[in-house]
Amino acid sequence: MLDHLAKERRARLAAERLLEQKKRELIAANEQLAQHARALSEQILRQRSGLERARVEAESLKGERALAESNLERANSMARIAQRRLWEALETIEDGFAVFDQSLTLVAANRSWLLGLEDDPELTQGLSYDRLLEIVTRRNIVELGAQSAEDWRAVMAARIRQPLIEPVTLQLSDGRHLRLMDRWGAEGDLVCLAQDITESMNRETELSEARERAEAAARAKSAFLANMSHELRTPMNGVVGMAELLADTELNEEQRLFAETIRSSGEALLGIINDVLDYSKLEAERVRLAEAPFDLEHCLHEVMLLLQPSARKKGLQLLVDYDLFLPTRFIADPGRMRQVLTNLLGNAVKFTHHGSVTARVTGLATAPGRYDLRVAIEDTGIGIAPDHLDLIFGEFNQVESEANRSFEGTGLGLAITRQLMGLMGGTLWVESRPGEGSCFGFRLELPLAETLDQEPPSSEPIRLQQALIVDDAKISRMILERQLQALGLTVASCRSSAEALRVLAADPAAFDLILCDHRMADGGGGALVRELRRRGLRLPIVMLSADPERAAAEGLPVDALLAKPVLRSQLYRALQRLSVEPARGHAAPPDLPSAGRRMRVLAAEDNRTNQLVFRKMVKDLAIDIEMASDGIEALRIWQRWQPDLIFMDISMPGMDGREASRRIRSSEQRQGGHVPIVALTAHVLAEEAEEILAAGIDALLSKPLKRAEILDCIEEHRPPGALPVQTAEVG
Ligand code: ADP
C-alpha cells in the first residue's frame, strides 16, 4: 500500500511538476502572444497612417497633374504665339532669314530670303540648298556676269559647305544687292541671313563718282593753273624781252625810263603770278614734297649768289656762317628748301639798305643720322614793329608804313614759306626791332644724306697757292672759288676745256692745282685731263663729279676725285693730301686749239613774237642759227645739221619739246653723242620742272628770256672747236 501510496505520491508530484511547467509555458506563450498582438496592432496603426498619407499624397498628385496639364497647354500656346510672332517679325524685316538642317535641307525661310521664289511649285519644305541654287539660276534671279550658271552654282555650293562661311555679295537681276551671311549653329543647323545693301552700294557708287568728279575738277584746276601760268608768261615774255631789246637801242632818257619801266613791271608781274600760283597750289594741298639729298651750304651759296647783284647795288655784304662741324648734306625737297631760303634771304636783302645779311646755320644731332637744324637769316634792315610781327605770316599782308611803302611784293612770300615749313615739319619764327633789323629763322629736323666721317679737319697746312677751276656751270664755279679762297688760294676760272687749254698754254707756271668738272657740255672733263696729260702736264688735278662712281670707272689720270656738290671738309682734306705729295712737275705748254667753225645753235619756238625776240637777242653773235617752229621740225634740223646747242620751247603744237628731246636722246643712244638741250619754259611748277628734266633735257631757262642768260648759256656750251661767239672778241 505504501508502495502504492508512494507511487501515487510520486505520480502526483510528477503531475504537479508537469502542470507547473505547462503553466509556465502557457504564461510564456501568453506573453509572447500579447507581444505579437502588440506588435501587430502597432503595425496596423503604422500601416493605417501610411495609407492615410498615401491617400493624401494621391489626392495632391491629382491636383498637381491638372496644374501641369494646364501649364503645358499654356506653354504650348505661348510657344505657338512666340513662334508666330517670330515669323511675323522675320517676315516684316527686309532682311532674308532661313534655317537649314545639317543635311542642308530647308527647315524654314522668310519671303525675303526666298527672293520671290515663294510661289514656285518646286519650293516645298525639305528642299535642298543645291536644288534651290538650280531654281535661282533657272529663273535668272542673280546677275552672274561673266560666270556660267554651272560655275556659279559650284562656287556657291562649295561655299556653303565650309565650316566658316565667308560673306558674299550677290547682284540680283532686279538691281538689288544682297549680302549673304551664313553660319553653322551649335546644334548643327545652318542659319542664313541675306541683307539688302543696295542703298549703301548706291551711296558708295555715288560717293566714288562724286570723288572722281572732285578729283577731275582738281586736276582740271591744276592744269588750268599750269596753263594760266603758261598763257600769262608767254605774252609777258614778249613784253619783257622786247622792252629789254628796246632799252638797248638809241633812246633819249625819257624813252629809256619808259622801256626800263615796262621791263621791270613785267618782271614784277611775273613774280606775282608765280607767288599766286604757288600759294593756290599749297592751299589746294597739291604740293607734294620730294625727298632727295641736297647740300644746305651749297644751296645757301647759290641763293646768295643770285641775290648778289641787288645786294651789290646797295653795298650790302652777304655772309654765310655755317657751323664748321655741321654736316652739309641732308635729305629734303631741294627745290622747296631753296624756295624757303630765297624768300627769307630775298626779303632780308629787300628790306635792308645798308649793312649786311647773314645766314647762320647751326645744328645738333638728335639721333644717329638726324640733325635738328637752325637756320637764321639776320639783317640790319628796317625791321618790323612789334604789333605787325603777328600779321606778316598771313596772306597778302604787308606792313603798312611809311618806311615800307616803297617795296613791291605780293605779301604772299612768308605765307608760302610758313606753309612749306609746316609741310616739312619745321617751324618758322621771327624777331625784329624797328630800325635795327630782323632775324627770320626756322628750325627743322632732317636726316643726313650720308654718313660722313665727322673728323675735325687736321691742322696739316695747305701748301698749294694758285688754282685753276674748269667748270661750265657758273654757280659751281663761283662756289668753288669761294671755298678755295677761304682756304687761302688764289683762283682763276675757265668755262670750257678750250678756254682752259688756252689759259694753260699762255702761262703754264701760273698754277699749282687744277680743279676740273667731270661732265661739261663740250665733251667732259675726262677728255680735257687726258689731253692735258698727253701734252705732258703734270700738275695735280682734282676731278669734281656728280657721278663719282662713273668717273672712277673711267680710270682718269687725276690725283683726286671728289663728289659734287663738294663738301668743304672733303676739299680741305684733298688739298692737304696734295700739299704733302711730291709735285709732278710742270708740263710743257699745251698747244692752242686752231680756230675753227662758227657754233651752230638751233632754237625751237612756236610763237612768232618769241622767235623774233630770240633772233634779236642773238643777232650780234658769231653763231649760225636755225629756228624750228615745232618738235618735228626741230628733230629734222637736228638730224641734218647736228647743232652744238638746242634751245627747246616746251609747249609747242604737234610734237612738244619734251617729246622732241626724248626722241633726240633715244637716237643718240644708237648713234652716240649728246647735244646739250636747254628748255625754254614758261611752266614754273616744280613737278613740271622734274618732268621736263626727265625727258633728257639738261637745263631749264625760264621765260621771259633775258639776253645775258642766253649769251651765257651759248658761251657755256660752245664746243672746243668753235669760234668765240662774242664778235668783239673775234680777231
Ligand atoms: P612780300 O615781301 O612779297 O611783301 P612777304 O610775305 O615775304 O611778302 O612779307 C610780308 C611783309 O613782311 C613784307 O611786306 C614786309 O613788310 C615784312 N617783312 C618781311 N621780311 C622782312 C624783313 N627782313 N625786314 C623787314 N620787314 C620784313
Side-chain angles (χ1 to χ4, degrees):
M1 194 49 194
L2 262 170
D3 228 18
H4 181 68
L5 274 173
K7 250 190 201 172
E8 240 181 45
R9 207 182 139 183
R10 269 196 312 266
R12 205 187 64 230
L13 273 176
E16 274 174 7
R17 264 198 317 268
L18 189 68
L19 190 71
E20 197 63 25
Q21 191 191 344
K22 290 287 169 201
K23 214 179 347 193
R24 268 198 316 271
E25 276 174 7
L26 197 70
I27 289 168
N30 222 353
E31 233 162 57
Q32 215 168 11
L33 198 68
Q35 252 174 18
H36 271 291
R38 243 188 347 264
L40 199 66
S41 77
E42 268 168 24
Q43 203 180 344
I44 287 170
L45 270 177
R46 268 204 310 278
Q47 275 177 355
R48 198 180 288 155
S49 84
L51 210 68
E52 180 57 25
R53 260 204 321 277
R55 200 187 54 81
V56 171
E57 264 169 33
E59 269 314 298
S60 85
L61 273 180
K62 218 195 276 169
E64 268 171 34
R65 201 183 124 195
L67 191 69
E69 265 169 9
S70 88
N71 277 352
L72 188 66
E73 206 165 298
R74 232 193 9 256
N76 273 339
S77 94
M78 265 158 65
R80 272 195 305 278
I81 291 171
Q83 198 181 16
R84 206 183 58 237
R85 278 194 187 140
L86 181 64
W87 276 106
E88 269 168 17
L90 286 174
E91 283 299 350
T92 52
I93 58 167
E94 276 164 33
D95 295 334
F97 176 84
V99 181
F100 286 79
D101 70 11
Q102 218 154 6
S103 63
L104 284 174
T105 304
L106 182 64
V107 176
N110 70 357
R111 282 165 175 274
S112 302
W113 198 86
L114 292 171
L115 306 170
L117 288 176
E118 52 275 5
D119 308 327
D120 196 287
E122 284 191 55
L123 198 87
T124 49
Q125 268 210 350
L127 188 73
S128 77
Y129 194 88
D130 296 334
R131 184 80 193 101
L132 198 73
L133 292 176
E134 274 168 33
I135 302 176
V136 165
T137 48
R138 177 163 51 71
R139 295 188 41 177
N140 292 328
I141 286 176
V142 174
E143 269 315 315
L144 299 180
Q147 225 171 5
S148 75
E150 256 167 37
D151 287 350
W152 182 79
R153 283 198 302 264
V155 169
M156 294 296 286
R159 168 183 172 274
I160 208 68
R161 288 173 169 83
Q162 300 291 321
L164 272 179
I165 306 167
E166 284 290 312
V168 67
T169 302
L170 299 184
Q171 192 187 346
L172 306 188
S173 322
D174 62 8
R176 287 186 301 146
H177 294 266
L178 289 188
R179 188 158 176 77
L180 303 188
M181 287 164 288
D182 308 283
R183 204 157 132 186
W184 289 103
E187 304 298 319
D189 280 351
L190 176 70
V191 179
C192 304
L193 275 180
Q195 198 179 9
D196 191 330
I197 55 165
T198 314
E199 234 172 81
S200 63
M201 288 288 277
N202 287 348
R203 225 180 2 254
E204 213 168 281
T205 355
E206 267 168 36
L207 274 179
S208 83
E209 277 168 12
R211 197 181 53 224
E212 250 161 52
R213 275 198 302 278
E215 275 170 3
R219 272 195 302 277
K221 185 173 150 200
S222 172
F224 170 75
L225 286 178
N227 248 342
M228 274 300 277
S229 111
H230 180 240
E231 296 303 325
L232 290 170
R233 290 175 68 98
T234 303
M236 284 311 293
N237 185 27
V239 174
V240 175
M242 282 297 186
E244 199 183 15
L245 289 173
L246 185 63
D248 279 352
T249 59
E250 286 275 312
L251 295 177
N252 68 30
E253 210 154 291
E254 197 183 31
Q255 288 167 329
R256 183 166 308 285
L257 179 70
F258 293 165
E260 262 307 310
T261 311
I262 296 174
R263 193 195 55 75
S264 61
S265 310
E267 278 183 5
L269 182 55
L270 281 166
I272 295 171
I273 293 170
N274 288 351
D275 271 4
V276 172
L277 285 175
D278 236 355
Y279 186 73
S280 37
K281 284 205 87 184
L282 277 164
E283 275 297 276
E285 294 178 355
R286 290 189 66 84
V287 172
R288 257 162 291 141
L289 292 178
E291 277 193 5
F294 86 108
D295 192 297
L296 178 58
E297 190 188 20
H298 197 274
C299 185
L300 268 171
H301 277 290
E302 281 178 9
V303 175
M304 290 277 201
L305 284 171
L306 291 175
L307 293 170
Q308 197 77 62
S310 28
R312 222 175 6 238
K313 263 189 227 157
K314 302 197 215 177
L316 296 183
Q317 274 211 70
L318 298 185
L319 305 164
V320 177
D321 180 8
Y322 197 100
D323 182 350
L324 203 66
F325 296 99
L326 185 67
T328 60
R329 281 168 63 79
F330 299 94
I331 306 272
D333 185 324
R336 295 303 182 177
M337 281 301 292
R338 169 194 283 263
Q339 191 177 1
V340 165
L341 294 173
T342 307
N343 275 343
L344 297 182
L345 283 165
N347 276 348
V349 171
K350 184 156 88 174
F351 295 107
T352 304
H353 300 300
H354 28 74
S356 60
V357 172
T358 310
R360 279 185 218 289
V361 186
T362 54
L364 282 175
T366 47
R370 289 191 77 80
Y371 274 80
D372 189 5
L373 297 174
R374 277 146 208 264
V375 178
I377 313 294
E378 295 170 17
D379 65 49
T380 56
I382 62 170
I384 304 164
D387 48 339
H388 286 140
L389 276 180
D390 289 342
L391 301 175
I392 54 171
F393 293 111
E395 302 82 59
F396 309 105
N397 276 341
Q398 295 182 313
V399 174
E400 265 300 325
S401 73
E402 213 41 56
N404 202 20
R405 196 134 304 150
S406 52
F407 300 103
E408 2 178 273
T410 53
L412 277 177
L414 287 176
I416 293 172
T417 304
R418 192 177 59 172
Q419 293 227 32
L420 284 176
M421 257 307 132
L423 263 183
M424 296 185 206
T427 44
L428 188 65
W429 82 81
V430 60
E431 284 163 19
S432 185
R433 270 169 207 243
E436 286 180 29
S438 313
C439 177
F440 282 81
F442 60 85
R443 185 180 160 174
L444 181 63
E445 196 180 302
L446 290 180
L448 266 185
E450 62 209 26
T451 40
L452 296 163
D453 58 87
Q454 293 271 324
E455 275 172 51
S458 78
S459 55
E460 198 65 52
I462 290 175
R463 284 187 238 278
L464 303 165
Q465 285 164 0
Q466 313 274 344
L468 177 66
I469 298 172
V470 191
D471 194 333
D472 58 355
K474 190 161 151 197
I475 299 256
S476 359
R477 224 162 41 224
M478 292 175 79
I479 288 176
L480 201 54
E481 273 171 24
R482 277 164 181 259
Q483 289 181 333
L484 289 169
Q485 280 160 353
L487 297 175
L489 280 85
T490 332
V491 187
S493 293
C494 295
R495 296 198 271 198
S496 66
S497 304
E499 199 184 337
L501 288 172
R502 211 160 45 232
V503 167
L504 284 165
D507 185 3
F511 304 101
D512 49 16
L513 172 69
I514 296 175
L515 297 111
C516 174
D517 187 27
H518 180 232
R519 273 191 71 86
M520 286 188 290
D522 60 6
L528 174 65
V529 299
R530 286 218 163 85
E531 175 63 8
L532 289 174
R533 293 297 190 220
R534 192 185 66 75
R535 293 176 187 195
L537 181 107
R538 296 182 61 199
L539 287 182
I541 301 180
V542 177
M543 179 67 81
L544 311 173
S545 173
D547 188 356
E549 266 115 12
R550 208 178 111 196
E554 284 176 26
L556 296 169
V558 294
D559 302 80
L561 179 60
L562 296 183
K564 274 178 79 172
V566 184
L567 295 164
R568 291 155 307 154
S569 52
Q570 287 182 349
L571 180 66
Y572 192 78
R573 257 175 266 147
L575 299 194
Q576 280 177 331
R577 185 167 60 76
L578 293 176
S579 297
V580 292
E581 273 174 14
R584 289 161 182 243
H586 290 301
D591 327 318
L592 278 174
S594 54
R597 60 179 178 83
R598 278 152 73 97
M599 181 175 175
R600 292 187 290 267
V601 176
L602 165 61
E605 164 69 67
D606 66 311
N607 183 292
R608 295 225 137 257
T609 319
N610 288 345
Q611 282 194 7
L612 190 65
V613 171
F614 189 88
R615 273 193 190 281
K616 293 241 175 192
M617 281 181 171
V618 299
K619 78 173 192 311
D620 295 333
L621 300 186
I623 58 171
D624 292 331
I625 180 144
E626 292 223 11
M627 300 292 296
S629 48
D630 60 30
I632 306 223
E633 203 180 341
L635 263 180
R636 230 180 278 134
I637 297 176
W638 169 73
Q639 279 291 5
R640 152 173 75 73
W641 195 48
Q642 294 296 311
D644 301 308
L645 171 64
I646 301 179
F647 286 106
M648 184 77 85
D649 184 23
I650 288 304
S651 94
M652 291 186 287
M655 187 190 291
D656 71 3
R658 292 184 199 86
E659 184 54 31
S661 307
R662 247 180 250 123
R663 295 206 186 181
I664 288 175
R665 291 298 178 236
S666 85
S667 305
E668 280 175 347
Q669 293 236 305
R670 296 188 296 275
Q671 308 167 2
H674 182 99
V675 60
I677 304 181
V678 177
L680 305 179
T681 172
H683 289 273
V684 288
L685 307 179
E687 286 83 346
E688 277 164 351
E690 273 165 37
E691 189 210 332
I692 289 169
L693 291 174
I697 284 166
D698 301 287
L700 296 177
L701 267 189
S702 156
K703 289 178 179 181
L705 303 179
K706 307 223 179 53
R707 187 155 186 274
E709 279 177 15
I710 296 276
L711 299 198
D712 269 358
C713 188
I714 292 177
E715 181 60 61
E716 274 168 21
H717 291 102
R718 181 163 63 89
L723 288 169
V725 298
Q726 306 271 3
T727 36
E729 282 178 28
V730 175

